[in-house]
Amino acid sequence: MNLAIKIIIGLLAGIAVGFLLNIFSPDLFKNLDTYLFSPLGKIFLNLINMLVVPIVFFSITLGAAGIGDPKKLSRIGIKTIVYFLSTTAVAIIIGLALSLLIQPGNIGEFNTSNADYQAEKAPSIGETLLNIFPKNPIEALATGNMLQIIAFALFVGFGIAMLGEKAGMVKKLFEQGNDLMMYLVGLVMKFAPYGTFGLIASAIGSQGWDAFKAMLLYVFVVVLALAIQFTVVYGSAVGFLAKRNPLSFYKGFFPAMIIGFSTSSSNASLPVSMNSAQKNLKVPEQISSFVQPLGATINMDGTAIMQGVATVFIAQVYSHNLTIAELLTVVLTAVLASIGTAGVPGVGLILLAMVLNSVNLPVEGIALILGIDRILDMLRTAVNITGDAACAVIVAESEKKKEPAQKAG
Ligand code: ASP
């Protein structure tokens, strides 16, 4: 049987088993979760996380060595960042607009009296930008600091390109290392149906579904905005900017979406999302290996949507009317805040605390959405990585057009 179908079966079985146990036998769920679901999920998570740092390092180095020309590299960099910032801004505007229209925080009763949430400290934007250059590259690799790894890999790749034959062996080493890692992704993915089953059964089974009822309208607005971003924004970006068939884009990237959904982590999904983009969507390695790791860190459209909706929701619950200037502040803070934080589970809430602070809304309001955020995190992560892939496809197509023109000129 085709692997993608097996993974879908794992996903659906995980949803069904998680739900049924949650409703009919919470005690049995606890045991099964401890001894079966969580371990299965954890093994799978570790296996793919094991590949993230080497893949990013090898492939970006090779990409930069292959491109060689710093002008081309900065052209790709600028296109990517402009795309990332604009789609994130569009995403948060969709979130804000829908929640101002549907007003999820004005309908229903929300108990704010015992709301309690301690915000973790998010890095400031200045700090992040200053810290892009690693003082110690081994430390960056050891701690998985994505922006620093990207910066170091770009330097190494550029050096390999400049030294040419002199660094031929190093280049070969990176090429073979990259092939080896891609092979391991294929191997680890054989475990994906079971891992997905474990992760999903554990997440669905441990939800307090009562919390969902009270928050139904909020969930509805977030999901609606995510769906619009996913279908309309990415569909038209891929269709009009890359002139590709959006349906084949979604189909080709589907395996990665499921991994994003089940792991709730753009970072952990990287090995699979790069693999899907390169093999199924035919994005050249050089471009995929640069755009997608960068996107996993700085481009989180789904997360931006949640922040937009959550900010308006919390403002409504606390009867605070957001002015136009405050709404603009929300857009700006949400776009900038996403730059410095890694794509790992739950990071969206840390970013949200920053956004709420920027317009003086009570951070404790996050307590209201905390209970249902785990499930929404799954959905928005799938959207986050699809946005990165759409960008990779668009940049790849635009570079394709450039190449023949340059060769002719
Ligand atoms: N889990 C998300 C990601 O990794 C980030 C978030 O919204 O919490 O992309």
Side-chain angles (χ1 to χ4, degrees), residues 264-267 300 303 342-349 377 380-381 384:
S264 294
S265 164
S266 305
N267 271 16
M300 301 184 195
T303 305
V344 292
V347 86
L349 290 182
D377 196 2
R380 65 177 182 253
T381 306
N384 286 346

Side-chain angles (χ1 to χ4, degrees), residues 115-126:
D116 184 24
Y117 180 82
Q118 290 299 333
E120 274 179 61
K121 198 186 155 324
S124 80
I125 291 125

Side-chain angles (χ1 to χ4, degrees), residues 260 263-269 295-297 299-304 306-307 341-351 373-374 376-378 380-385 388:
T263 60
S264 294
S265 164
S266 305
N267 271 16
S269 312
T297 309
N299 185 43
M300 301 184 195
D301 300 344
T303 305
M306 177 281 280
Q307 291 173 63
T341 28
V344 292
V347 86
L349 290 182
I350 302 178
L351 296 176
D373 196 65
R374 175 73 189 84
L376 292 178
D377 196 2
M378 298 161 79
R380 65 177 182 253
T381 306
V383 173
N384 286 346
I385 61 171
D388 304 337

Side-chain angles (χ1 to χ4, degrees), residues 7 29 166 318 328:
I7 300 179
F29 169 77
K166 258 197 202 164
Y318 284 88
L328 283 176

Side-chain angles (χ1 to χ4, degrees), residues 34-302:
T34 313
Y35 297 108
L36 184 68
F37 306 150
S38 287
L40 276 181
K42 185 84 184 129
I43 293 173
F44 178 57
L45 260 186
N46 284 357
L47 284 173
I48 47 174
N49 270 319
M50 160 181 98
L51 301 175
V52 173
V53 167
I55 282 190
V56 170
F57 184 47
F58 286 140
S59 62
I60 296 192
T61 304
L62 272 184
I67 295 175
D69 175 8
K71 255 203 230 137
K72 182 170 174 191
L73 202 58
S74 41
R75 189 177 64 226
I76 293 180
I78 290 171
K79 272 190 226 172
T80 305
I81 289 173
V82 168
Y83 172 92
F84 282 167
L85 296 183
S86 19
T87 49
T88 308
V90 169
I92 186 157
I93 290 169
I94 294 177
L96 288 174
L98 282 182
S99 42
L100 287 171
L101 198 75
I102 303 178
Q103 311 201 352
N106 285 340
I107 300 166
E109 289 287 307
F110 303 100
N111 183 1
T112 53
S113 55
N114 47 15
D116 184 24
Y117 180 82
Q118 290 299 333
E120 274 179 61
K121 198 186 155 324
S124 80
I125 291 125
E127 254 170 68
T128 308
L129 293 180
L130 276 183
N131 278 332
I132 284 182
F133 301 108
K135 201 162 53 179
N136 179 346
I138 306 295
E139 185 188 323
L141 291 166
T143 54
N145 183 324
M146 212 48 89
L147 288 182
Q148 293 193 346
I149 297 175
I150 293 173
F152 183 59
L154 287 176
F155 274 112
V156 176
F158 178 69
I160 291 177
M162 290 299 113
L163 290 178
E165 262 318 292
K166 258 197 202 164
M169 295 262 277
V170 182
K171 186 167 180 204
K172 194 98 213 140
L173 180 79
F174 275 86
E175 276 167 2
Q176 296 186 347
N178 196 40
D179 289 348
L180 176 62
M181 289 304 140
M182 280 299 174
Y183 168 76
L184 291 183
V185 173
L187 204 64
V188 165
M189 280 302 281
K190 293 205 190 321
F191 188 66
Y194 313 100
T196 309
F197 169 77
L199 287 170
I200 303 273
S202 175
I204 302 270
S206 54
Q207 279 311 304
W209 291 102
D210 284 346
F212 251 86
K213 276 188 223 136
M215 297 296 289
L216 224 46
L217 204 51
Y218 167 80
V219 173
F220 171 73
V221 179
V222 174
V223 174
L224 181 65
L226 288 175
I228 293 177
Q229 180 80 7
F230 184 83
T231 51
V232 181
V233 179
Y234 300 151
S236 46
V238 168
F240 294 120
L241 297 178
K243 307 256 179 309
R244 289 253 205 125
N245 179 348
L247 289 181
S248 23
F249 166 75
Y250 294 124
K251 187 165 169 245
F253 198 63
F254 191 69
M257 291 175 201
I258 296 195
I259 301 302
F261 180 78
S262 51
T263 60
S264 294
S265 164
S266 305
N267 271 16
S269 312
L270 266 178
V272 186
S273 47
M274 287 165 71
N275 201 295
S276 297
Q278 292 170 15
K279 297 236 163 79
N280 305 347
L281 305 177
K282 306 283 173 265
V283 176
E285 251 176 71
Q286 292 172 350
I287 293 178
S288 139
S289 65
F290 174 68
V291 173
Q292 290 177 288
L294 195 63
T297 309
I298 70 174
N299 185 43
M300 301 184 195
D301 300 344

